[in-house]
């Protein structure tokens, strides 16, 4: 495969993956190096727009419109001094220092861009993670994951269509027809269950009067571990559990799923949960194409093993960050967790390190700092645990303050991409727009 980009003179930095970490990294590198013609900065992604992944549960529930929050890669690249290349990465040639991309096609199947190779001097892998179904039968065919905005939009459309179908069909609502089972009670699954409880009832209230919310709608959250939110402190998990119980979300813990069928979910203890809408949010792994790519060291969950400087163990010119990177820091026996705050910190760290690499200066090791956890239950509540704010101890927060903290995380992400002024203006514009639009997206 011949390269279509043969440039010389300037250092070529290629970042594969336009998620939160990858887009933040190319934005800063483009501003600092690309605009000043100190380096060529290129972003590669198979999608055309970016949306902050922690918002996907709101997209799926219909409480957030993708169009108001998506970042157009091509426009953003033009504004920040880097280039965007659309394409799915299919291979890596470390000898020629090129990334192979598959051809891209439009919705009608016509080729938009051909197969091609993008050359690099420094490569950064920021391809995030995908849902791990652990080989459970039926998941691929009958459940939807929330890894991408396309999946979130597809689930929301399926949700609205199911409601319309139940309202207009000749017979009564079938058992399980408007039941939603969310498998996996981490942050994504728990937040989605609470948000769906509210938005599905709002959809029904817009004239679908043949549906009885109290009888026909049920949200069930299934978790294989002993409690929901197993990665957060016990007190926080207990409080969220109580809130879910209060609003009517059914929670099943210590419940292992053995099969997902068209009409519901089968558990290992023999229990069958009728449901025609299933979301799989249990477990993550790096994308399968990373396994052994280019001869790099990978884990059994496809993560690229990196050194403390975030360079891959077998190639110092290739970095990895975020969910696709496996790093065990000195003095720790567990890897840096696949969380948004870790990806954000690694992206901020790499901005300076890539500049140092280009200048021939030594690199500094990455240090992860856990600032705690925040879980949003939509309009019902937000709770969290902040690390080290009170004499080195955790501090539990809830209510308005916790919600403000949760929203501020997204604003920090927007500010890293757009700057303060544009973030403020976009926030005001969205606030005004929401006053004239439905509270829940109905199409």
């Amino acid at each position: 495969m011949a390269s279509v980009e043969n440039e010389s003179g300037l250092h070529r930095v290629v970042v594969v993956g336009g998620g939160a970490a990858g887009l933040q990294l190319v934005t800063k590198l483009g501003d600092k190096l690309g605009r000043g013609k100190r380096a060529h900065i290129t972003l590669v992604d198979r999608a055309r727009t970016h949306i902050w992944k922690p918002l996907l549960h709101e997209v799926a529930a219909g409480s957030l419109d993708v169009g108001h929050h998506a970042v157009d890669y091509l426009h953003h690249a033009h504004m920040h001094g880097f280039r965007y290349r659309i394409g799915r990465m299919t291979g890596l040639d470390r000898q020629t220092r090129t990334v192979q991309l598959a051809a891209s096609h439009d919705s009608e199947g016509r080729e938009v861009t051909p197969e091609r190779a993008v050359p690099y001097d420094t490569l950064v892998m920021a391809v995030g993670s995908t849902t791990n179904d652990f080989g459970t039968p039926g998941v691929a065919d009958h459940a939807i994951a929330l890894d991408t905005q396309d999946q979130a939009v597809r689930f929301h459309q399926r949700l609205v269509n199911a409601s319309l179908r139940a309202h207009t069909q000749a017979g009564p609502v079938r058992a399980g027809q408007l039941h939603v089972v969310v498998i996996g009670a981490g942050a994504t699954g728990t937040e989605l269950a609470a948000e769906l409880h509210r938005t599905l009832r709002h959809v029904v209230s817009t004239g679908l009067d043949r549906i009885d919310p109290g009888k026909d709608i049920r949200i069930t959250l299934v978790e294989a571990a002993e409690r929901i939110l197993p990665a957060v402190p016990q007190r926080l998990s207990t409080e969220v559990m109580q809130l879910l119980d209060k609003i009517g979300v059914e929670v099943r813990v210590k419940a292992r799923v053995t099969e997902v069928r068209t009409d519901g979910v089968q558990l290992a203890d023999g229990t069958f949960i009728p449901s025609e809408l299933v979301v799989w949010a249990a477990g993550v792994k790096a994308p399968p194409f990373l396994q052994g790519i280019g001869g790099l060291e990978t884990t059994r969950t496809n993560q690229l093993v990196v050194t403390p400087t975030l360079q891959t163990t077998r190639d110092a010119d290739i970095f990895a960050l975020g969910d696709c990177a496996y790093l065990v820091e000195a003095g720790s026996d567990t890897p840096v967790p696949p969380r948004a705050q870790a990806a954000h910190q690694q992206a901020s760290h790499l901005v300076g390190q890539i500049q140092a690499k280009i200048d021939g200066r030594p690199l500094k090791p990455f240090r992860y700092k856990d600032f705690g956890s925040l879980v949003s239950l939509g309009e019902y509540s937000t709770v969290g645990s902040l690390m080290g704010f009170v004499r080195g101890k955790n501090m539990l927060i809830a209510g308005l303050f916790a919600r403000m903290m949760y929203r501020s995380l997204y604003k920090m992400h927007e500010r890293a991409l757009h700057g303060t002024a544009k973030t403020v203006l976009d926030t005001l514009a969205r606030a005004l727009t929401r006053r004239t639009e439905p509270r829940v997206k109905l199409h």
Side-chain angles (χ1 to χ4, degrees):
M1 185 188 302
S3 170
V4 297
E5 299 174 15
N6 184 19
E7 299 165 329
S8 60
L10 294 181
H11 193 93
R12 299 166 299 188
V13 179
V14 174
V15 178
V16 180
L23 187 56
Q24 176 185 333
L25 178 60
V26 292
T27 299
K28 296 300 183 184
L29 290 176
D31 289 339
K32 292 177 179 293
L33 303 178
R35 283 178 169 173
K37 304 299 182 183
R38 294 177 54 197
H40 285 298
I41 312 299
T42 302
L43 171 68
V44 171
D45 198 282
R46 63 189 301 175
R48 300 190 184 194
T49 59
H50 158 85
I51 189 166
W52 197 47
K53 195 169 183 179
L55 294 179
L56 289 181
H57 75 280
E58 296 185 42
V59 176
S63 53
L64 185 142
D65 191 331
V66 172
H68 293 168
H69 294 262
V71 177
D72 185 285
Y73 286 133
L74 194 58
H75 174 73
H76 193 74
H78 175 70
M79 297 300 293
H80 291 276
F82 67 92
R83 299 171 304 179
Y84 160 64
R85 299 291 179 257
I86 186 171
R88 174 177 58 86
M89 182 177 178
T90 57
L92 169 65
D93 190 329
R94 290 167 54 202
Q95 298 300 317
T96 61
R97 292 189 176 186
T98 55
V99 172
Q100 281 78 47
L101 303 183
S104 65
H105 299 81
D106 62 19
S107 59
E108 297 175 340
R110 293 179 298 182
E111 184 176 277
V112 178
T113 58
E115 290 185 4
R116 51 185 168 165
V118 179
Y120 69 86
D121 295 304
T122 295
L123 175 64
V124 182
M125 300 298 297
V127 293
S129 60
T130 61
T131 299
N132 189 350
D133 64 13
F134 305 104
T136 306
V139 174
D141 296 325
H142 308 304
I144 289 183
L146 295 184
D147 296 322
T148 67
Q149 59 179 288
D150 287 343
Q151 291 173 326
V153 169
R154 187 164 76 250
F155 175 79
H156 176 65
Q157 292 173 341
R158 185 180 292 184
L159 187 73
V160 173
N161 290 340
S163 301
L164 291 172
R165 189 179 302 113
H167 174 69
T168 57
Q169 66 191 22
V173 178
R174 301 185 302 275
Q177 186 174 357
L178 290 179
H179 292 186
V180 182
V181 174
V182 180
I183 302 170
T188 298
T190 301
E191 291 174 337
L192 176 64
E195 195 74 5
L196 282 173
H197 182 272
R198 179 184 68 85
T199 59
L200 188 50
R201 281 162 173 75
H202 187 82
V203 170
V204 170
S205 71
T206 57
L208 307 185
D209 47 25
R210 291 191 59 199
I211 300 173
D212 181 349
K215 183 180 68 174
D216 298 327
I217 296 176
R218 179 182 300 170
I219 311 295
T220 303
L221 181 61
V222 177
E223 172 57 48
E226 294 185 354
R227 60 184 177 92
I228 65 172
L229 300 169
V232 306
Q234 173 73 56
R235 290 172 59 194
L236 180 59
S237 173
T238 300
E239 183 165 345
V240 173
M241 184 85 165
Q242 292 171 347
L243 285 167
L244 292 175
D245 181 66
K246 182 178 179 180
I247 65 176
V249 172
E250 181 182 2
V251 180
R252 291 174 177 263
V253 295
K254 294 186 287 187
R256 185 172 61 86
V257 174
T258 57
E259 184 182 8
V260 178
R261 302 182 346 207
T262 55
D263 57 346
V265 174
Q266 183 68 53
L267 302 183
D269 64 2
T271 302
F272 182 75
I273 307 175
S275 175
E276 296 184 16
L277 295 163
V278 179
V279 177
W280 186 275
V284 297
K285 63 181 179 180
F289 82 90
L290 288 181
Q291 186 58 243
I293 190 168
L296 298 176
E297 183 182 4
T298 52
T299 68
R300 62 181 181 83
T301 55
N302 310 323
Q303 290 174 294
L304 295 165
V305 182
V306 297
T307 67
T309 55
L310 300 181
Q311 293 166 293
T312 54
T313 55
R314 295 175 183 169
D315 195 324
D317 291 324
I318 301 177
F319 295 76
L321 76 161
D323 292 2
C324 72
Y326 182 87
L327 170 64
V328 178
E329 295 183 283
S332 175
D333 56 0
T334 58
V336 173
R339 301 174 64 184
Q341 61 174 304
H344 169 76
Q345 291 175 37
Q346 289 173 341
S348 297
H349 178 77
L350 273 186
V351 172
Q353 300 314 296
I354 288 177
Q355 292 182 77
K357 181 177 183 292
I358 293 173
D359 295 338
R361 293 182 280 115
L363 305 188
K364 297 178 181 179
F366 169 74
R367 294 282 185 265
Y368 172 62
K369 183 173 177 57
D370 188 349
F371 290 102
S373 303
L374 289 167
V375 179
S376 171
L377 302 182
E379 294 186 358
Y380 297 118
S381 183
T382 301
V383 297
S385 173
L386 304 184
M387 302 288 286
F389 275 70
V390 184
R391 295 184 180 180
K393 297 181 179 180
N394 294 357
M395 180 175 70
L396 294 186
I397 58 174
L400 179 61
F401 178 64
R403 183 175 299 178
M404 290 174 61
M405 291 288 291
Y406 186 88
R407 288 299 176 189
S408 73
L409 297 178
Y410 181 42
K411 296 307 168 188
M412 289 171 59
H413 173 63
E414 288 189 301
R415 186 169 174 268
L417 299 182
H418 308 300
T420 302
K422 188 176 186 302
T423 299
V424 171
L425 290 174
D426 283 348
T427 301
L428 291 174
R430 290 172 194 149
L432 292 173
T433 302
R434 284 186 68 86
R435 293 180 178 273
T436 62
E437 294 183 341
R439 293 179 62 193
V440 175
K441 191 174 174 66
L442 300 174
H443 62 277

